[in-house]
Amino acid sequence: LSRIGKNANAKSMPDFLAIRFQSPLLRVLTALATIFTIFYIAGQFAGIGLVFVEAMGINYLLGVIVGSIIMTGYISIGGAHADILTTFVQGIVMAILGIMITVFVLVNVGGIVTIDRTLIEIDPALSSSVMFNDPMFGAFTGIAIFISLGLFGLSPQQSKLFLALNDEKNVTKALLWGFAGLSILGLVMWLGGLGSRIMFPD
């Protein structure tokens, strides 16, 4: 995908299809098909709606509509390249905040053992012995889900990142760095979430 995209000078699947078949209409139709993969973007639209509610106090539904129009216009004008750059900046901000929250939790609550003990006092169902009995954490399923998420296996829209690489040799590096980064962020989110549950029981 990376090699084909580079040869075609395409930075997204809609770009590639439009260039390959010389059809601007196909670019639009493919972009629309991507937009309508609701499973992947519903969370983004919901987040936009909440931002408008909290920041401006407007109606949630109106916030979703206005935010979606702004997001669609931005992507249409700036293209996939602008999306990749802003995604990178957002990732840096999330990583910094995630690490700060985790450090704050570990300083104020304690380590994993302390977190587990305190959670059991709040609700025995929150203990690690109960949580990790879920089939999602099984010997096979847990590892499979972890690797799939870490290697973008469950996020096909991430293919645009491979199309953006200058050299196909960087695909392996991107996968390994991405896997390491997502693994660390996953741990950070887990610790931060459990610690926050203790600090704010309600």
Side-chain angles (χ1 to χ4, degrees):
L1 183 62
S2 179
R3 184 184 305 141
I4 292 169
K6 184 183 177 185
N7 290 340
N9 194 28
K11 291 189 176 178
S12 68
M13 287 308 293
D15 270 350
F16 169 70
L17 291 171
I19 293 166
R20 168 67 180 81
F21 296 104
Q22 296 295 301
S23 171
L25 176 62
L26 193 56
R27 177 187 277 115
V28 174
L29 292 175
T30 310
L32 285 173
T34 304
I35 287 171
F36 285 110
T37 53
I38 299 299
F39 176 78
Y40 291 110
I41 63 169
Q44 296 175 35
F45 285 167
I48 288 172
L50 288 173
V51 166
F52 274 92
V53 169
E54 295 296 327
M56 302 176 67
I58 67 173
N59 177 273
Y60 173 74
L61 180 58
L62 180 61
V64 170
I65 293 169
V66 171
S68 302
I69 291 170
I70 291 171
M71 185 168 71
T72 304
Y74 173 78
I75 298 299
S76 300
I77 294 167
H81 185 69
D83 180 42
I84 290 166
L85 290 177
T86 54
T87 299
F88 172 73
V89 173
Q90 290 169 22
I92 296 290
V93 171
M94 286 190 287
I96 292 170
L97 290 174
I99 291 167
M100 285 172 59
I101 289 169
T102 302
V103 169
F104 184 77
V105 162
L106 292 174
V107 168
N108 288 279
V109 178
I112 295 173
V113 174
T114 306
I115 289 173
D116 192 45
R117 186 175 62 247
T118 311
L119 284 172
I120 293 170
E121 292 172 5
I122 294 172
D123 183 353
L126 296 175
S127 73
S128 58
S129 58
V130 173
M131 297 299 290
F132 287 108
N133 277 332
D134 189 291
M136 188 174 79
F137 295 106
F140 173 76
T141 51
I143 294 170
I145 290 171
F146 182 76
I147 291 174
S148 295
L149 288 170
L151 296 178
F152 309 125
L154 300 180
S155 304
Q157 78 273 26
Q158 298 294 338
S159 61
K160 67 185 179 199
L161 301 178
F162 300 117
L163 288 168
L165 294 170
N166 294 326
D167 189 339
E168 67 185 81
K169 293 176 183 175
N170 290 328
V171 170
T172 304
K173 293 178 187 174
L175 279 171
L176 292 174
W177 277 104
F179 182 72
L182 287 170
S183 301
I184 292 167
L185 285 176
L187 178 63
V188 162
M189 290 167 59
W190 178 62
L191 281 171
L194 292 176
S196 300
R197 179 69 175 82
I198 293 168
M199 295 178 71
F200 307 99
D202 296 332

